[in-house]
Amino acid sequence: MSHPGTFITIEGVEGAGKSTQSRLLASALSTAGVQPVLTREPGGTPLAERIRDLVLDPAFAPVDPECELFLYLAARTDHVRRQILPRLAAGDWVLCDRFTDATVAYQGYGRGLDVDWVREQAEHAGQVHPDLTLLLDLDVDAGLARVRARGAENRLDAERVEFHRAVRKGYLQLAADQPRRIVIVDAAGGTEEVHRRVLNVVSARLGSRLQRPLAPVREAVR
Ligand code: TMP
């Protein structure tokens, strides 16, 4: 679907720093002259946030993989139609913490559902392709250690390590298959270092759409 907006998604295994890096990138973009809409999946609308609470609640474990898939897709359908498409149609920048690649990586490669079928479902619900996807890549043990140190594990964080390894492998496969859209960013190291790597990629790919060059935000620079 073509639109005048700019759509960036951020992906990665648990603990890769997506939320922090999305927030910092949104700040850097604001300074460079655009006011991006920062959103996330599952979530981003009141209905999708309710689905998020359900799908991540450890009380429901184990959830059938297809049931899990359809919950994520239901959340995405609402989010895309109510929030993402209207904003892109208005010419806005939309920055989304996870999108269709997460479904292929987690429900396809992670849960073992048929990857092509999952991709078809995910793209049907997603309707729009990102202009750029940043894959924050990190060793699974390092990521899970960060999540555990935060002390707020959800149903998926608590999966066995083999599941998370399969998800990472899936993401890397997606990046190998679509190198023009998905750029791997090394997520090891400090927040500032990773923030600079993210800005380098966004500047190289989308800098021509900005009024001013991207600069690291002060919050990330200690
Ligand atoms: P997070 O965005 O806070 O990392 O939590 C979302 C969790 O949901 C994370 O474990 C990845 C998972 N997820 C899927 O399994 N499929 C999806 O389609 C999406 C968007 C997320």
Side-chain angles (χ1 to χ4, degrees):
M1 187 174 292
S2 78
H3 55 76
T6 301
F7 187 27
I8 303 176
T9 59
I10 303 203
E11 300 278 0
V13 292
E14 314 298 335
K18 291 175 299 89
S19 309
T20 304
Q21 293 300 333
S22 306
R23 198 167 35 76
L24 292 173
L25 174 58
S27 263
L29 285 168
S30 309
T31 312
V34 293
Q35 292 299 330
V37 177
L38 178 57
T39 187
R40 68 172 179 180
E41 291 219 341
T45 61
L47 174 58
E49 290 289 336
R50 290 281 284 275
I51 297 173
R52 179 187 178 93
D53 291 342
L54 292 173
V55 78
L56 297 181
D57 189 339
F60 297 117
V63 174
D64 174 87
E66 287 193 11
C67 174
E68 182 180 272
L69 169 70
F70 291 126
L71 286 167
Y72 282 111
L73 297 180
R76 176 162 310 134
T77 303
D78 191 59
H79 185 213
V80 165
R81 291 181 190 188
R82 284 181 193 272
Q83 170 81 323
I84 294 179
L85 290 182
R87 302 310 292 256
L88 292 175
D92 289 339
W93 285 58
V94 176
L95 186 52
C96 193
D97 182 343
R98 294 199 191 278
F99 196 57
T100 50
D101 297 308
T103 316
V104 181
Y106 279 79
Q107 280 65 56
Y109 289 97
R111 294 291 184 216
L113 295 177
D114 183 85
V115 168
D116 289 332
W117 179 72
V118 170
R119 180 182 293 110
E120 243 173 69
Q121 306 302 313
E123 291 189 351
H124 179 77
Q127 294 197 36
V128 67
H129 292 286
D131 296 288
L132 173 67
T133 296
L134 300 159
L135 172 56
L136 299 189
D137 183 51
L138 184 67
D139 172 73
V140 161
D141 295 298
L144 290 174
R146 283 187 190 169
V147 172
R148 282 168 194 151
R150 281 202 301 257
E153 263 187 340
N154 63 40
R155 185 176 62 80
L156 275 88
D157 299 328
E159 280 292 339
R160 61 202 197 292
V161 72
E162 291 74 24
F163 171 78
H164 295 289
R165 288 198 211 292
V167 170
R168 183 185 186 199
K169 218 170 141 196
Y171 269 132
L172 292 173
Q173 184 62 52
L174 291 175
D177 292 344
Q178 299 170 75
R180 283 165 56 96
R181 174 174 67 85
I182 306 179
V183 180
I184 298 173
V185 176
D186 180 6
T191 302
E192 178 189 346
E193 225 177 326
V194 180
H195 177 52
R196 288 181 190 273
R197 289 180 197 135
V198 165
L199 294 191
N200 285 342
V201 174
V202 175
S203 302
R205 296 292 180 114
L206 299 169
S208 61
R209 300 187 189 192
L210 293 166
Q211 293 161 10
R212 290 188 286 282
L214 281 171
V217 300
R218 214 172 302 143
E219 187 194 335
V221 182
R222 285 166 212 280

